Amino acid sequence: MTLTYGKYGGRFVPETLIPALDELETGWREAQADPSFAADLDHLGRTYAGRPTPLTRTSRFATAKRRALHLKREDLLHTGAHKLNNALGQAVLAQRLGKRRIVAETGAGQHGVATATVCAKFGLECVVYMGSEDMRRQRPNVERMHLLGAQVRPVEFGTRTLKEATSEAIRDWITNVETTHYLIGSAVGPHPYPEIVHELQAVIGREAREQFVAAEGRLPEVVVACVGGGSNAIGIFSAFIDDAEVRLLGVEAAGAASLGTGRAAVLHGARSSVLADEDGQILDAHSISAGLDYPGVGPEHASLRDSGRAQYVHATDDEALAAFRDLTRLEGIIPALEPAHALARARELDDEYVLVCLSGRGDKDLAEVLART
Ligand SMILES: Cc1ncc(COP(=O)(O)O)c(C=O)c1O
Protein backbone atom coordinates (compact mmCIF):
# COMPACT_ATOMS: atom_id res chain seq x y z
CA MET A 1 0.00 0.00 0.00
CA THR A 2 1.56 3.28 -1.11
CA LEU A 3 0.58 6.05 1.25
CA THR A 4 0.50 9.55 -0.11
CA TYR A 5 0.78 11.87 2.90
CA GLY A 6 3.52 10.46 5.13
CA LYS A 7 1.90 7.60 6.99
CA TYR A 8 -1.59 8.70 5.88
CA GLY A 9 -3.65 8.44 2.72
CA GLY A 10 -3.56 5.46 0.41
CA ARG A 11 -6.33 3.27 -0.93
CA PHE A 12 -8.11 0.94 1.48
CA VAL A 13 -10.91 -0.20 -0.82
CA PRO A 14 -12.30 -3.44 -2.26
CA GLU A 15 -10.39 -4.76 -5.30
CA THR A 16 -13.35 -3.92 -7.56
CA LEU A 17 -12.72 -0.20 -7.08
CA ILE A 18 -9.02 -0.21 -7.95
CA PRO A 19 -9.56 -0.02 -11.75
CA ALA A 20 -11.98 2.90 -11.24
CA LEU A 21 -9.47 4.74 -9.04
CA ASP A 22 -6.73 4.08 -11.60
CA GLU A 23 -8.98 5.38 -14.37
CA LEU A 24 -9.77 8.46 -12.29
CA GLU A 25 -6.10 9.11 -11.60
CA THR A 26 -5.18 8.77 -15.29
CA GLY A 27 -8.06 11.05 -16.29
CA TRP A 28 -7.05 13.57 -13.64
CA ARG A 29 -3.39 13.63 -14.78
CA GLU A 30 -4.50 14.08 -18.39
CA ALA A 31 -6.86 16.89 -17.40
CA GLN A 32 -4.09 18.63 -15.48
CA ALA A 33 -1.77 18.41 -18.47
CA ASP A 34 -4.47 19.78 -20.79
CA PRO A 35 -4.64 23.60 -20.66
CA SER A 36 -8.28 23.51 -21.83
CA PHE A 37 -9.32 21.86 -18.52
CA ALA A 38 -7.99 24.77 -16.43
CA ALA A 39 -9.37 27.25 -18.97
CA ASP A 40 -12.85 25.65 -18.82
CA LEU A 41 -12.85 25.75 -15.02
CA ASP A 42 -11.65 29.33 -14.97
CA HIS A 43 -14.41 30.32 -17.40
CA LEU A 44 -17.09 28.47 -15.41
CA GLY A 45 -15.78 30.03 -12.21
CA ARG A 46 -16.10 33.54 -13.60
CA THR A 47 -19.30 33.26 -15.63
CA TYR A 48 -21.32 30.74 -13.61
CA ALA A 49 -20.02 30.46 -10.06
CA GLY A 50 -19.15 34.09 -9.25
CA ARG A 51 -15.37 33.89 -8.88
CA PRO A 52 -13.36 35.66 -7.69
CA THR A 53 -15.20 35.91 -4.38
CA PRO A 54 -14.38 39.09 -2.45
CA LEU A 55 -12.31 39.58 0.67
CA THR A 56 -14.09 41.57 3.37
CA ARG A 57 -12.29 43.39 6.16
CA THR A 58 -14.42 43.18 9.30
CA SER A 59 -14.94 46.42 11.17
CA ARG A 60 -16.93 45.55 14.29
CA PHE A 61 -16.51 41.78 14.81
CA ALA A 62 -12.78 42.01 15.44
CA THR A 63 -11.70 43.39 18.80
CA ALA A 64 -10.49 46.98 18.78
CA LYS A 65 -6.93 45.82 19.29
CA ARG A 66 -6.83 43.97 16.00
CA ARG A 67 -6.53 45.99 12.86
CA ALA A 68 -7.21 43.53 10.11
CA LEU A 69 -9.42 40.45 10.34
CA HIS A 70 -10.41 39.60 6.78
CA LEU A 71 -13.04 37.13 5.60
CA LYS A 72 -12.65 35.19 2.36
CA ARG A 73 -16.24 35.24 1.18
CA GLU A 74 -16.97 31.75 -0.11
CA ASP A 75 -20.49 32.33 1.25
CA LEU A 76 -20.98 34.53 -1.82
CA LEU A 77 -20.14 31.74 -4.26
CA HIS A 78 -23.11 30.38 -6.28
CA THR A 79 -25.08 27.90 -4.10
CA GLY A 80 -23.68 29.51 -0.94
CA ALA A 81 -20.51 27.59 -0.06
CA HIS A 82 -17.04 26.61 -1.27
CA LYS A 83 -18.34 23.14 -2.19
CA LEU A 84 -19.15 24.31 -5.74
CA ASN A 85 -15.44 24.72 -6.62
CA ASN A 86 -14.96 20.98 -6.20
CA ALA A 87 -18.30 19.89 -7.65
CA LEU A 88 -17.74 21.88 -10.86
CA GLY A 89 -14.24 20.51 -11.33
CA GLN A 90 -15.22 16.91 -10.69
CA ALA A 91 -18.28 17.18 -12.94
CA VAL A 92 -16.08 18.37 -15.82
CA LEU A 93 -13.67 15.52 -15.04
CA ALA A 94 -16.50 12.95 -14.92
CA GLN A 95 -17.60 13.99 -18.38
CA ARG A 96 -14.06 13.61 -19.68
CA LEU A 97 -14.19 10.06 -18.26
CA GLY A 98 -17.52 9.42 -20.05
CA LYS A 99 -19.52 9.03 -16.81
CA ARG A 100 -23.11 10.31 -16.98
CA ARG A 101 -24.28 9.23 -13.50
CA ILE A 102 -23.06 10.99 -10.36
CA VAL A 103 -23.34 9.75 -6.81
CA ALA A 104 -22.47 11.90 -3.79
CA GLU A 105 -22.80 12.03 -0.01
CA THR A 106 -23.72 15.14 1.91
CA GLY A 107 -23.83 16.28 5.53
CA ALA A 108 -24.80 19.95 5.67
CA GLY A 109 -26.38 19.55 2.27
CA GLN A 110 -24.07 22.15 0.70
CA HIS A 111 -22.08 19.54 -1.19
CA GLY A 112 -25.34 17.84 -2.19
CA VAL A 113 -26.72 21.15 -3.50
CA ALA A 114 -23.47 21.91 -5.34
CA THR A 115 -23.51 18.45 -6.92
CA ALA A 116 -27.20 18.65 -7.85
CA THR A 117 -26.50 22.07 -9.37
CA VAL A 118 -23.66 20.94 -11.62
CA CYS A 119 -25.64 17.84 -12.62
CA ALA A 120 -28.55 20.05 -13.65
CA LYS A 121 -26.19 22.27 -15.61
CA PHE A 122 -24.49 19.41 -17.46
CA GLY A 123 -27.53 17.08 -17.74
CA LEU A 124 -26.12 14.32 -15.54
CA GLU A 125 -28.12 11.88 -13.41
CA CYS A 126 -27.64 12.69 -9.72
CA VAL A 127 -28.13 10.56 -6.60
CA VAL A 128 -27.26 12.07 -3.20
CA TYR A 129 -27.08 10.06 0.04
CA MET A 130 -27.90 11.97 3.22
CA GLY A 131 -28.41 10.83 6.82
CA SER A 132 -31.99 11.33 7.98
CA GLU A 133 -30.81 13.38 11.00
CA ASP A 134 -29.03 15.75 8.59
CA MET A 135 -32.13 15.86 6.35
CA ARG A 136 -34.06 17.07 9.39
CA ARG A 137 -31.62 19.81 10.40
CA GLN A 138 -30.72 20.99 6.87
CA ARG A 139 -34.23 20.89 5.38
CA PRO A 140 -33.83 23.88 3.00
CA ASN A 141 -30.95 22.14 1.25
CA VAL A 142 -32.95 18.93 0.82
CA GLU A 143 -35.66 20.99 -0.87
CA ARG A 144 -33.13 22.70 -3.11
CA MET A 145 -31.69 19.33 -4.21
CA HIS A 146 -35.18 18.08 -5.09
CA LEU A 147 -35.89 21.22 -7.11
CA LEU A 148 -32.61 20.75 -8.97
CA GLY A 149 -33.71 17.28 -10.04
CA ALA A 150 -31.51 15.15 -7.77
CA GLN A 151 -32.68 12.01 -6.05
CA VAL A 152 -31.98 12.35 -2.31
CA ARG A 153 -31.75 8.93 -0.64
CA PRO A 154 -32.17 9.01 3.17
CA VAL A 155 -29.76 6.91 5.21
CA GLU A 156 -31.41 5.54 8.34
CA PHE A 157 -28.73 3.62 10.21
CA GLY A 158 -26.10 4.52 12.84
CA THR A 159 -25.96 8.20 13.74
CA ARG A 160 -27.89 8.96 10.49
CA THR A 161 -25.29 11.59 9.58
CA LEU A 162 -22.37 12.05 7.17
CA LYS A 163 -20.41 8.93 8.12
CA GLU A 164 -23.28 6.62 7.19
CA ALA A 165 -24.18 8.67 4.09
CA THR A 166 -20.58 8.29 2.87
CA SER A 167 -20.67 4.52 3.44
CA GLU A 168 -23.87 4.29 1.37
CA ALA A 169 -22.46 6.41 -1.44
CA ILE A 170 -19.40 4.15 -1.62
CA ARG A 171 -21.67 1.06 -1.69
CA ASP A 172 -23.62 2.56 -4.61
CA TRP A 173 -20.37 3.36 -6.42
CA ILE A 174 -19.09 -0.20 -6.00
CA THR A 175 -22.32 -1.53 -7.54
CA ASN A 176 -22.46 0.94 -10.44
CA VAL A 177 -18.80 1.69 -10.99
CA GLU A 178 -18.93 1.26 -14.80
CA THR A 179 -21.36 4.14 -15.31
CA THR A 180 -20.91 6.24 -12.19
CA HIS A 181 -18.50 8.87 -10.90
CA TYR A 182 -18.36 9.21 -7.12
CA LEU A 183 -18.23 12.96 -6.56
CA ILE A 184 -16.73 13.03 -3.09
CA GLY A 185 -17.33 16.28 -1.22
CA SER A 186 -14.25 16.79 0.91
CA ALA A 187 -10.49 16.21 0.94
CA VAL A 188 -11.04 12.63 2.13
CA GLY A 189 -11.34 9.18 0.59
CA PRO A 190 -8.92 6.94 -1.29
CA HIS A 191 -6.10 8.30 -3.47
CA PRO A 192 -6.36 10.34 -5.71
CA TYR A 193 -9.45 12.04 -4.22
CA PRO A 194 -7.70 14.09 -1.48
CA GLU A 195 -5.29 15.46 -4.09
CA ILE A 196 -8.07 16.26 -6.58
CA VAL A 197 -10.15 18.09 -3.96
CA HIS A 198 -7.04 19.98 -2.74
CA GLU A 199 -6.30 21.21 -6.27
CA LEU A 200 -9.92 22.16 -7.02
CA GLN A 201 -10.25 24.12 -3.77
CA ALA A 202 -6.82 25.76 -4.07
CA VAL A 203 -8.48 28.62 -5.96
CA ILE A 204 -9.68 29.92 -2.55
CA GLY A 205 -6.12 30.33 -1.29
CA ARG A 206 -4.73 31.73 -4.57
CA GLU A 207 -7.32 34.48 -4.64
CA ALA A 208 -7.22 35.20 -0.90
CA ARG A 209 -3.43 35.53 -0.84
CA GLU A 210 -3.44 38.06 -3.67
CA GLN A 211 -6.40 39.95 -2.18
CA PHE A 212 -4.86 40.08 1.30
CA VAL A 213 -1.56 41.40 -0.03
CA ALA A 214 -3.42 44.00 -2.12
CA ALA A 215 -5.39 45.13 0.93
CA GLU A 216 -2.67 45.08 3.59
CA GLY A 217 0.60 45.12 1.69
CA ARG A 218 1.72 41.98 3.50
CA LEU A 219 0.79 38.35 4.21
CA PRO A 220 -1.51 37.45 7.11
CA GLU A 221 0.12 36.28 10.34
CA VAL A 222 -2.41 33.49 10.64
CA VAL A 223 -4.92 31.78 8.34
CA VAL A 224 -7.94 30.19 10.06
CA ALA A 225 -10.48 27.72 8.65
CA CYS A 226 -12.97 25.21 10.00
CA VAL A 227 -12.21 21.54 9.42
CA GLY A 228 -14.82 18.89 8.72
CA GLY A 229 -13.29 16.64 6.10
CA GLY A 230 -10.91 19.53 5.48
CA SER A 231 -11.61 20.84 1.98
CA ASN A 232 -12.09 24.57 2.62
CA ALA A 233 -9.16 24.51 5.03
CA ILE A 234 -6.78 22.81 2.60
CA GLY A 235 -8.03 25.13 -0.14
CA ILE A 236 -7.09 28.27 1.74
CA PHE A 237 -4.00 26.81 3.49
CA SER A 238 -2.50 25.59 0.21
CA ALA A 239 -1.42 29.07 -0.91
CA PHE A 240 0.48 29.68 2.36
CA ILE A 241 2.07 26.30 3.12
CA ASP A 242 5.45 27.46 1.78
CA ASP A 243 5.33 30.73 3.76
CA ALA A 244 6.83 29.48 7.01
CA GLU A 245 6.00 32.76 8.79
CA VAL A 246 2.24 32.31 8.20
CA ARG A 247 0.57 30.14 10.86
CA LEU A 248 -2.17 27.78 9.73
CA LEU A 249 -4.95 27.13 12.23
CA GLY A 250 -7.69 24.56 11.64
CA VAL A 251 -10.77 24.56 13.89
CA GLU A 252 -12.71 21.36 14.44
CA ALA A 253 -16.00 20.87 16.26
CA ALA A 254 -15.31 19.91 19.88
CA GLY A 255 -17.37 16.71 19.54
CA ALA A 256 -15.80 15.75 16.21
CA ALA A 257 -12.12 16.56 16.77
CA SER A 258 -10.58 13.84 14.58
CA LEU A 259 -7.23 15.66 14.62
CA GLY A 260 -7.40 16.78 18.25
CA THR A 261 -8.34 13.50 19.86
CA GLY A 262 -8.29 10.91 17.06
CA ARG A 263 -5.84 8.11 16.32
CA ALA A 264 -4.42 6.65 13.11
CA ALA A 265 -7.06 4.40 11.55
CA VAL A 266 -8.78 3.69 8.25
CA LEU A 267 -12.10 5.29 7.36
CA HIS A 268 -13.80 5.52 3.97
CA GLY A 269 -10.88 4.26 1.95
CA ALA A 270 -7.92 6.10 3.47
CA ARG A 271 -5.74 6.06 6.55
CA SER A 272 -5.96 9.25 8.55
CA SER A 273 -6.58 10.57 12.05
CA VAL A 274 -9.96 9.22 13.07
CA LEU A 275 -12.18 9.12 16.14
CA ALA A 276 -11.75 5.43 16.87
CA ASP A 277 -11.26 3.06 19.77
CA GLU A 278 -8.11 0.98 20.35
CA ASP A 279 -9.35 -1.68 17.92
CA GLY A 280 -9.87 0.87 15.15
CA GLN A 281 -13.68 0.82 15.56
CA ILE A 282 -15.07 4.20 14.53
CA LEU A 283 -16.65 6.28 17.30
CA ASP A 284 -19.63 8.59 16.90
CA ALA A 285 -19.02 12.30 16.36
CA HIS A 286 -21.26 15.15 17.44
CA SER A 287 -21.59 18.73 16.26
CA ILE A 288 -24.39 21.25 15.92
CA SER A 289 -23.09 21.81 12.40
CA ALA A 290 -23.84 18.90 10.10
CA GLY A 291 -20.81 19.71 7.95
CA LEU A 292 -18.35 19.16 10.82
CA ASP A 293 -20.17 16.17 12.30
CA TYR A 294 -17.79 13.53 10.93
CA PRO A 295 -15.31 11.27 12.77
CA GLY A 296 -12.64 11.46 10.07
CA VAL A 297 -10.56 14.09 8.26
CA GLY A 298 -8.48 14.31 5.10
CA PRO A 299 -5.07 12.60 5.31
CA GLU A 300 -3.17 15.75 4.32
CA HIS A 301 -4.35 17.47 7.50
CA ALA A 302 -3.15 14.55 9.64
CA SER A 303 0.23 14.93 7.98
CA LEU A 304 0.29 18.73 8.43
CA ARG A 305 -0.54 18.24 12.10
CA ASP A 306 2.22 15.67 12.62
CA SER A 307 4.81 17.84 10.89
CA GLY A 308 3.76 20.82 12.99
CA ARG A 309 3.10 22.97 9.90
CA ALA A 310 -0.54 23.44 10.90
CA GLN A 311 -2.17 23.51 14.32
CA TYR A 312 -5.66 22.22 15.02
CA VAL A 313 -7.90 23.39 17.85
CA HIS A 314 -11.63 23.07 18.47
CA ALA A 315 -14.73 25.13 19.26
CA THR A 316 -17.88 24.01 21.08
CA ASP A 317 -21.45 24.29 19.78
CA ASP A 318 -22.07 27.25 22.10
CA GLU A 319 -18.92 29.08 21.01
CA ALA A 320 -19.90 28.62 17.37
CA LEU A 321 -23.42 29.89 18.07
CA ALA A 322 -22.04 32.99 19.81
CA ALA A 323 -19.75 33.74 16.86
CA PHE A 324 -22.67 33.13 14.46
CA ARG A 325 -24.80 35.70 16.31
CA ASP A 326 -22.01 38.24 16.59
CA LEU A 327 -20.96 38.14 12.94
CA THR A 328 -24.62 38.50 11.98
CA ARG A 329 -25.24 41.47 14.28
CA LEU A 330 -21.89 43.22 13.97
CA GLU A 331 -21.07 42.77 10.29
CA GLY A 332 -24.41 42.03 8.60
CA ILE A 333 -23.15 38.64 7.39
CA ILE A 334 -24.98 35.45 8.39
CA PRO A 335 -22.35 32.69 8.36
CA ALA A 336 -22.93 28.96 8.16
CA LEU A 337 -22.45 27.18 11.49
CA GLU A 338 -19.34 25.42 10.13
CA PRO A 339 -17.19 28.55 9.62
CA ALA A 340 -18.70 30.01 12.80
CA HIS A 341 -16.32 27.57 14.55
CA ALA A 342 -13.37 29.20 12.79
CA LEU A 343 -14.69 32.66 13.70
CA ALA A 344 -14.98 31.67 17.37
CA ARG A 345 -11.24 30.92 17.59
CA ALA A 346 -10.09 33.63 15.17
CA ARG A 347 -11.55 36.45 17.19
CA GLU A 348 -9.57 35.47 20.28
CA LEU A 349 -6.20 35.67 18.56
CA ASP A 350 -3.76 38.42 19.47
CA ASP A 351 -2.46 38.70 15.91
CA GLU A 352 -3.10 41.87 13.96
CA TYR A 353 -3.37 40.32 10.50
CA VAL A 354 -5.83 37.45 10.35
CA LEU A 355 -7.42 35.73 7.36
CA VAL A 356 -10.50 33.55 7.94
CA CYS A 357 -12.20 31.35 5.37
CA LEU A 358 -15.92 32.10 5.54
CA SER A 359 -16.77 28.84 3.81
CA GLY A 360 -20.52 29.27 3.53
CA ARG A 361 -23.64 31.24 4.33
CA GLY A 362 -26.07 30.47 7.12
CA ASP A 363 -29.49 30.30 5.47
CA LYS A 364 -29.52 26.51 5.86
CA ASP A 365 -28.92 26.83 9.62
CA LEU A 366 -31.63 29.29 10.62
CA ALA A 367 -34.02 26.70 12.11
CA GLU A 368 -31.22 25.05 14.08
CA VAL A 369 -29.99 28.40 15.45
CA LEU A 370 -33.46 29.72 16.24
CA ALA A 371 -34.25 26.51 18.15
CA ARG A 372 -31.26 27.23 20.40
CA THR A 373 -32.07 30.85 21.18
C1 LIG B 1 -20.24 25.85 4.68
C2 LIG B 1 -19.42 24.67 5.02
N1 LIG B 1 -18.20 24.83 5.54
C3 LIG B 1 -17.41 23.79 5.86
C4 LIG B 1 -17.85 22.49 5.69
C5 LIG B 1 -16.93 21.38 6.10
O1 LIG B 1 -16.37 20.70 5.03
P1 LIG B 1 -14.84 20.84 4.67
O2 LIG B 1 -14.08 20.57 5.92
O3 LIG B 1 -14.63 19.80 3.63
O4 LIG B 1 -14.59 22.22 4.16
C6 LIG B 1 -19.11 22.25 5.13
C7 LIG B 1 -19.57 20.88 4.91
O5 LIG B 1 -20.65 20.61 4.52
C8 LIG B 1 -19.92 23.37 4.79
O6 LIG B 1 -21.14 23.22 4.27
Side-chain angles (χ1 to χ4, degrees):
M1 176 60 55
T2 311
L3 296 175
T4 37
Y5 296 103
K7 59 180 183 166
Y8 306 107
R11 285 178 178 176
F12 294 82
V13 295
E15 267 316 298
T16 43
L17 286 184
I18 298 293
L21 290 167
D22 284 342
E23 183 194 16
L24 178 63
E25 183 165 12
T26 306
W28 168 243
R29 303 268 168 251
E30 284 171 8
Q32 278 183 305
D34 176 356
S36 74
F37 178 69
D40 281 356
L41 284 188
D42 186 63
H43 181 74
L44 283 164
R46 283 173 197 285
T47 61
Y48 183 69
R51 300 222 70 90
T53 58
L55 191 74
T56 300
R57 190 186 213 271
T58 56
S59 49
R60 302 178 66 218
F61 179 76
T63 58
K65 197 173 149 202
R66 183 173 311 118
R67 285 192 290 132
L69 189 153
H70 288 263
L71 305 174
K72 178 59 175 162
R73 302 290 306 279
E74 293 297 295
D75 61 315
L76 293 178
L77 195 66
H78 179 42
T79 74
H82 68 296
K83 298 285 182 184
L84 190 71
N85 299 320
N86 172 51
L88 264 178
Q90 285 199 48
V92 173
L93 188 58
Q95 291 175 93
R96 290 175 70 106
L97 296 171
K99 310 270 172 160
R100 308 290 309 169
R101 181 175 182 271
I102 302 291
V103 33
E105 80 297 324
T106 197
Q110 286 300 147
H111 173 59
V113 168
T115 303
T117 297
V118 298
C119 287
K121 178 163 176 56
F122 297 123
L124 306 171
E125 185 187 342
C126 181
V127 176
V128 179
Y129 290 89
M130 188 170 190
S132 54
E133 164 61 9
D134 288 340
M135 288 179 76
R136 181 196 65 75
R137 54 183 169 172
Q138 307 281 227
R139 186 90 238 149
N141 277 345
V142 176
E143 284 156 3
R144 290 164 84 198
M145 284 185 269
H146 284 147
L147 281 173
L148 289 158
Q151 202 187 111
V152 183
R153 296 194 182 159
V155 179
E156 300 284 3
F157 63 94
T159 53
R160 294 175 287 120
T161 60
L162 183 56
K163 168 162 71 75
E164 290 78 16
T166 307
S167 300
E168 280 303 286
I170 293 174
R171 256 191 281 278
D172 181 314
W173 189 37
I174 292 170
T175 313
N176 300 295
V177 70
E178 295 295 321
T179 57
T180 300
H181 174 69
Y182 176 29
L183 207 164
I184 203 162
S186 192
V188 297
H191 175 75
Y193 277 108
E195 178 192 321
I196 292 175
V197 178
H198 170 130
E199 290 300 327
L200 294 175
Q201 293 291 3
V203 65
I204 305 175
R206 278 196 302 274
E207 286 176 11
R209 191 178 200 283
E210 205 180 302
Q211 290 166 325
F212 199 99
V213 170
E216 299 295 341
R218 53 160 294 160
L219 291 175
E221 289 163 274
V222 54
V223 179
V224 189
C226 68
V227 179
S231 69
N232 85 93
I234 209 65
I236 197 157
F237 287 177
S238 60
F240 301 94
I241 285 179
D242 294 336
D243 301 305
E245 72 276 23
V246 179
R247 283 175 13 251
L248 306 175
L249 187 65
V251 185
E252 300 183 287
S258 328
L259 291 157
T261 57
R263 61 177 78 222
V266 170
L267 177 63
H268 295 142
R271 188 177 159 86
S272 187
S273 186
V274 178
L275 293 182
D277 67 18
E278 285 174 10
D279 299 325
Q281 291 299 312
I282 309 305
L283 301 173
D284 290 343
H286 162 77
S287 171
I288 188 177
S289 70
L292 304 188
D293 198 351
Y294 181 66
V297 68
E300 191 173 359
H301 286 290
S303 169
L304 288 170
R305 177 200 61 188
D306 287 6
S307 70
R309 180 63 193 94
Q311 275 86 47
Y312 297 88
V313 293
H314 63 258
T316 64
D317 289 357
D318 286 344
E319 288 171 327
L321 280 166
F324 175 100
R325 282 190 212 105
D326 288 349
L327 195 79
T328 302
R329 289 291 176 94
L330 298 174
E331 301 290 342
I333 298 171
I334 303 178
L337 280 172
E338 288 82 10
H341 289 72
L343 293 165
R345 287 287 82 86
R347 68 169 163 185
E348 296 171 351
L349 297 168
D350 285 329
D351 306 80
E352 275 181 51
Y353 296 94
V354 179
L355 170 62
V356 181
C357 187
L358 191 64
S359 54
R361 67 178 187 227
D363 311 36
K364 68 184 179 59
D365 295 315
L366 297 191
E368 200 65 14
V369 171
L370 292 172
R372 300 267 192 140
T373 41

